[in-house]
Amino acid sequence: MSRSFNLFRLQQIDTKLDTIRSRLDEIAVLLKENRALLEAEARLASSQSSYDEARRALNIAEANTKAQRIKIEQTENRLYSGSVTNPKELQDLQNESAALRRYLETVEERQIEAMLSYEEAETDLNTALSGVETVKAGMIEQNASLAGEQSSLDKDQQRLETERSVVVIAVTEEDRQSYQRLREKRAGVAVAAAHGGTCAACGNALNSSLSQAARSPSKLVNCDNCGRILYAG
């Protein structure tokens, strides 16, 4: 087999390995990433805080309404008990009862507003709770899928690394070093096919002598544009 063929085969394997390793890195990040869950839990915490505040406000409003009704009851008990006979005191009690009832309307309106706010906060809290559960369920499904893909890629990687170890034996140390230097300089692609008079990597048109030289089994030639090793097949 020619020197360029061995390097081209090595390039094919390394390109596949690069793709697999890149995807395995992505999967590792995805398996650790919990951004969606963190966002859902942050919304839940905010909803819980709003709910607790609305619950406290409603409790206060209910207590105020109850206290106001007790005041009215106490005032009207005195008014109608017959214990107060002084006309001025009676008038004062009537005025106080009327004022208390007017204020009761205000207190009850506030209680209704607090109840509506509480119900809205409760709905939002339930939605946030559901959102967290949905995200968790989605993560379980996604992680199972990713774990399956990860296992399959691990097997492919092992197989390709075994193939690579066989191919590398046929490559001289000098050629391997040249190949590695080009891989580092040319985004992982050191060897390019030379078909139809062009370099498949950069599209450069090759002159006839370079195209012919690329077919040599004993020497390596490089594209005069991108510098990659050419393999003519």
Side-chain angles (χ1 to χ4, degrees):
M1 293 183 183
S2 69
R3 292 166 66 190
S4 61
F5 172 79
N6 289 331
L7 290 177
F8 183 70
R9 179 62 185 138
L10 184 61
Q11 177 69 76
Q12 288 179 315
I13 294 172
D14 281 341
T15 297
K16 291 177 181 178
L17 282 170
D18 288 344
T19 301
I20 288 173
R21 288 165 182 156
S22 177
R23 179 56 182 165
L24 284 172
D25 288 343
E26 290 176 357
I27 290 173
V29 171
L30 289 171
L31 288 172
K32 292 180 181 178
E33 191 177 66
N34 59 350
R35 184 180 305 130
L37 181 59
L38 289 175
E39 291 175 353
E41 288 178 338
R43 182 188 172 192
L44 175 59
S46 176
S47 298
Q48 183 68 58
S49 177
S50 297
Y51 171 83
D52 292 342
E53 184 178 346
R55 176 72 263 186
R56 284 193 296 270
L58 178 58
N59 288 340
I60 292 171
E62 289 174 340
N64 288 340
T65 299
K66 183 177 180 180
Q68 189 67 13
R69 286 174 178 160
I70 290 173
K71 288 180 182 179
I72 292 171
E73 183 180 356
Q74 290 173 342
T75 300
E76 292 186 347
N77 282 342
R78 287 187 62 202
L79 179 61
Y80 300 116
S81 66
S83 60
V84 179
T85 56
N86 185 290
K88 185 178 183 308
E89 287 185 27
L90 286 171
Q91 184 62 50
D92 289 342
L93 284 172
Q94 288 175 344
N95 292 340
E96 182 180 352
S97 176
L100 288 171
R101 285 194 172 278
R102 285 195 299 272
Y103 187 61
L104 177 61
E105 293 179 3
T106 299
V107 172
E108 287 176 335
E109 287 176 0
R110 291 174 182 171
Q111 182 180 342
I112 291 172
E113 291 173 358
M115 175 60 75
L116 292 174
S117 296
Y118 168 76
E119 290 175 350
E120 182 179 349
E122 185 178 38
T123 298
D124 188 61
L125 176 61
N126 289 333
T127 299
L129 283 167
S130 177
V132 169
E133 293 306 314
T134 298
V135 171
K136 285 182 178 179
M139 286 181 64
I140 291 172
E141 183 178 350
Q142 172 189 275
N143 289 353
S145 175
L146 289 173
E149 182 183 358
Q150 186 181 52
S151 177
S152 177
L153 289 173
D154 282 336
K155 292 177 182 177
D156 289 343
Q157 183 178 21
Q158 292 174 11
R159 175 180 54 79
L160 286 168
E161 286 174 347
T162 299
E163 290 182 21
R164 189 181 193 280
S165 65
V166 173
V167 173
V168 165
I169 294 173
V171 178
T172 66
E173 180 62 25
E174 180 183 358
D175 287 354
R176 190 157 56 245
Q177 290 179 3
S178 297
Y179 168 82
Q180 191 58 42
R181 283 195 298 270
L182 281 169
R183 283 253 299 161
E184 293 170 0
K185 289 174 59 177
R186 296 299 177 186
V189 181
V191 185
H195 294 310
T198 61
C199 169
C202 69
N204 179 54
L206 308 173
N207 59 47
S208 58
S209 61
L210 193 58
S211 295
Q212 185 62 34
R215 300 180 182 277
S216 170
S218 59
K219 68 178 182 177
L220 298 179
V221 295
N222 301 78
C223 173
D224 53 11
N225 178 57
C226 67
R228 291 181 174 88
I229 299 166
L230 295 171
Y231 170 66

